[in-house]
Amino acid sequence: NAGVTQTPKFQVLKTGQSMTLQCAQDMNHEYMSWYRQDPGMGLRLIHYSVGAGITDQGEVPNGYNVSRSTTEDFPLRLLSAAPSQTSVYFCASGRDQPQHFGDGTRLSIL
Amino acid sequence: GQQLNQSPQSMFIQEGEDVSMNCTSSSIFNTWLWYKQEPGEGPVLLIALYKAGELTSNGRLTAQFGITRKDSFLNISASIPSDVGIYFCAGQLEGTALIFGKGTTLSVSS
């Protein structure tokens, strides 16, 4: 049972580049969400989804897009990376709350 | 917007001591969750609370949902070195997204 799988684990981008952070869960959870974690800031919600085809914004959605075409996958897209998006990104899933977290993607924007 | 104040920010204790930390909110919540995060990993859900006044244990950990619905407490009894990590509270009002505190960093010396 893999739980929540995030890829890649590490990534370095240049300002202006785009990329997609992948998140997949194999527990048939309806709820999935993306958080960013910065020193001294705790975890801040970017976007979340309560089921396939349904997404909503969290506390810090600007600069990020999401989609939920399947129950299993919830990718996070950075359209034009900025240094302020340097952070550790966590994906989480659960029945109706973030019960299981992935191990994170460490993203640096130069 | 909703804010969570988590205290203390950090704790340095001796093995065997009991630990208490708490979260307070400016708003009422329907759900309180407590997580632990170890270095390089995602948060792990420890305890979930769903009713005001509820007291729930998970091994040496005990958490309470405050009567006012604006606070929650986590106690760790007889601490051991593997209790080291960052503990996060999170609160949620039904229909809204989960809000995280900024964490309590626990250090245990043996």
Side-chain angles (χ1 to χ4, degrees), chain B residues 19 23 31 42-43 46 54 56 64 84 96 106:
Chain B
V19 172
C23 272
T31 300
L46 300 172
E54 181 180 356
T56 298
Q64 185 164 21
V84 165
T96 67
L106 179 63

Side-chain angles (χ1 to χ4, degrees), chain B residues 51 57 96:
Chain B
K51 289 196 302 187
S57 294
T96 67

Side-chain angles (χ1 to χ4, degrees), chain B:
Chain B
Q2 296 176 341
Q3 288 190 349
L4 283 185
N5 295 312
Q6 187 170 352
S7 65
Q9 186 174 359
S10 61
M11 302 181 74
F12 299 87
I13 63 170
Q14 296 274 348
E15 183 177 1
E17 289 184 8
D18 296 342
V19 172
S20 291
M21 60 189 77
N22 70 85
C23 272
T24 59
S25 168
S26 56
S27 306
I28 60 172
F29 287 126
N30 290 340
T31 300
W32 284 97
L33 306 174
W34 285 91
Y35 296 82
K36 178 188 178 185
Q37 185 179 28
E38 298 187 15
E41 299 182 4
V44 173
L45 181 63
L46 300 172
I47 294 178
L49 303 160
Y50 300 104
K51 289 196 302 187
E54 181 180 356
L55 187 71
T56 298
S57 294
N58 179 4
R60 293 177 296 105
L61 278 62
T62 301
Q64 185 164 21
F65 193 140
I67 287 292
T68 65
R69 295 172 61 195
K70 291 186 176 182
D71 56 10
S72 180
F73 306 87
L74 177 69
N75 295 317
I76 305 173
S77 62
S79 59
I80 60 178
S82 62
D83 289 334
V84 165
I86 305 176
Y87 291 80
F88 290 99
C89 65
Q92 183 178 30
L93 186 62
E94 190 172 354
T96 67
L98 197 64
I99 303 294
F100 278 80
K102 294 184 179 180
T104 294
T105 301
L106 179 63
S107 301
V108 180
S109 60
S110 53

Side-chain angles (χ1 to χ4, degrees), chain A residues 14 92 108:
Chain A
K14 294 181 180 178
S108 294

